Amino acid sequence: MSNGNSVVHKSSWPWRVAASVAVAAVTLGGCSSADDGKAAGARSKAPSKSAAASGSPSAAASASPSGGAASPGSPFKANPAKVPGTKSRAAALAAAVALKPQEWGADFQAQQQAASTPATVAVLDEQCRWERRPLPHSVLGSLSRYSEIPAAGGKGELKVSAAVTVHRSVRDADQQLATTLEEPLRCRQQQVRTDEWISGLISNATPYGQGQNTYADDQVVEMGKYLTGKREQPYYWYVTRLGTVTLAVSVKGAEGYSDKELVTLASNADASMLSRLESELGGNN
């Protein structure tokens, strides 16, 4: 970045992201179980599985098949020559942006499965189970990296993930945000692994220009509980879109970690990947 304003903007990202998520937390926290049916009923009136369902102001612009162009009002304009158009370039971008364990913090290390299977993408199936499937036509590349802080010193095992998905077009990327927003309505409880679940899920979208979102085209925050055995901890998942690329950060809480620590961890990770993505795509905002 070449000007002082850009430096200030980037350095303030973690706090702006955290503020945006804090607003979402208040909004989501106000949804009691008694309100769930009303919320589901209201959402069901919107076009299911459509870009419009995200509530994003970029929905109309994303109807264009152009993959590299930023929509009007976007916070960032990529260099079209650097927007991946092939699977090999998409894989390289995902590998450059997705956080490695040490980039989360000094105490982190790779989980036993350190990364996702190449040429696959995470999908929530009809039985509300997460699985990896071959890349659909709409996705050029996707990579997830899994990190953790092992249990020690009276604290539990803290697990996090960082994922980057490169889509063929803005419309395809926007569709992922719409689908993410709707999934808690379809699956309030989701199976992550054989012995891991997330439940009580609620989600909220913050398109660019709304709330505290001055950094991305769109963002969906999902909150709930992380269940393993009989233990229950907070769970946070941010999915953020910038152009044709979506970034996802998940944090599964553990004993000894406060909500504030978890939100800060996720916000910093999200801001770091956004900064990397802008650098890789050669924008000048």
Side-chain angles (χ1 to χ4, degrees):
M1 299 302 177
S2 59
N3 60 64
N5 289 336
S6 293
V7 172
V8 172
H9 170 71
K10 294 183 90 172
S11 66
S12 66
W13 270 1
W15 308 110
R16 294 188 182 187
V17 175
S20 179
V21 172
V23 172
V26 171
T27 303
L28 296 176
C31 299
S32 67
S33 58
D35 295 328
D36 291 343
K38 294 181 180 179
R43 295 279 181 83
S44 67
K45 296 178 182 178
S48 180
K49 302 297 181 184
S50 67
S54 71
S56 170
S58 66
S62 68
S64 168
S66 173
S71 59
S74 171
F76 175 78
K77 184 176 181 180
N79 179 342
K82 293 188 176 182
V83 177
T86 65
K87 290 184 177 181
S88 60
R89 289 184 62 193
L93 177 66
V97 175
L99 295 186
K100 298 176 181 177
Q102 65 272 22
E103 293 163 343
W104 282 89
D107 296 330
F108 281 91
Q109 63 183 41
Q111 292 187 34
Q112 187 171 4
Q113 180 182 348
S116 57
T117 303
T120 65
V121 66
V123 174
L124 186 64
D125 70 13
E126 293 74 13
Q127 286 73 47
C128 299
R129 299 174 300 193
W130 282 100
E131 61 181 13
R132 305 292 303 191
R133 290 182 181 175
L135 297 179
H137 177 73
S138 61
V139 176
L140 289 171
S142 184
L143 172 66
S144 297
R145 287 185 172 137
Y146 314 111
S147 307
E148 66 182 7
I149 298 179
K155 291 188 174 183
E157 182 181 60
L158 178 66
K159 294 184 177 182
V160 299
S161 71
V164 179
T165 302
V166 183
H167 304 263
R168 290 186 182 272
S169 70
V170 170
R171 175 189 291 182
D172 293 328
D174 202 49
Q175 178 63 63
Q176 182 183 345
L177 271 291
T179 298
T180 299
L181 183 63
E182 293 177 337
E183 282 174 340
L185 299 178
R186 177 170 70 88
C187 297
R188 290 298 303 278
Q189 181 162 294
Q190 303 169 9
Q191 185 174 8
V192 181
R193 292 189 174 92
T194 303
D195 59 344
E196 294 182 10
W197 298 78
I198 47 180
S199 69
L201 296 170
I202 45 180
S203 62
N204 185 67
T206 310
Y208 173 64
Q210 295 187 19
Q212 299 292 325
N213 183 1
T214 60
Y215 47 83
D217 290 319
D218 206 351
Q219 184 177 61
V220 171
V221 177
E222 190 169 289
M223 302 169 61
K225 295 296 182 180
Y226 167 56
L227 309 171
T228 175
K230 295 183 179 180
R231 292 173 293 179
E232 181 179 281
Q233 296 291 342
Y235 169 81
Y236 295 95
W237 189 34
Y238 305 173
V239 183
T240 307
R241 181 177 73 79
L242 200 64
T244 63
V245 182
T246 54
L247 311 173
V249 171
S250 74
V251 176
K252 302 171 183 176
E255 184 177 357
Y257 294 93
S258 67
D259 279 348
K260 182 178 180 180
E261 288 177 299
L262 301 178
V263 169
T264 298
L265 184 65
S267 299
N268 287 343
D270 190 41
S272 178
M273 291 206 294
L274 276 168
S275 180
R276 288 184 181 196
L277 180 58
E278 285 199 1
S279 179
E280 289 292 327
L281 294 182
N284 53 13
N285 290 50

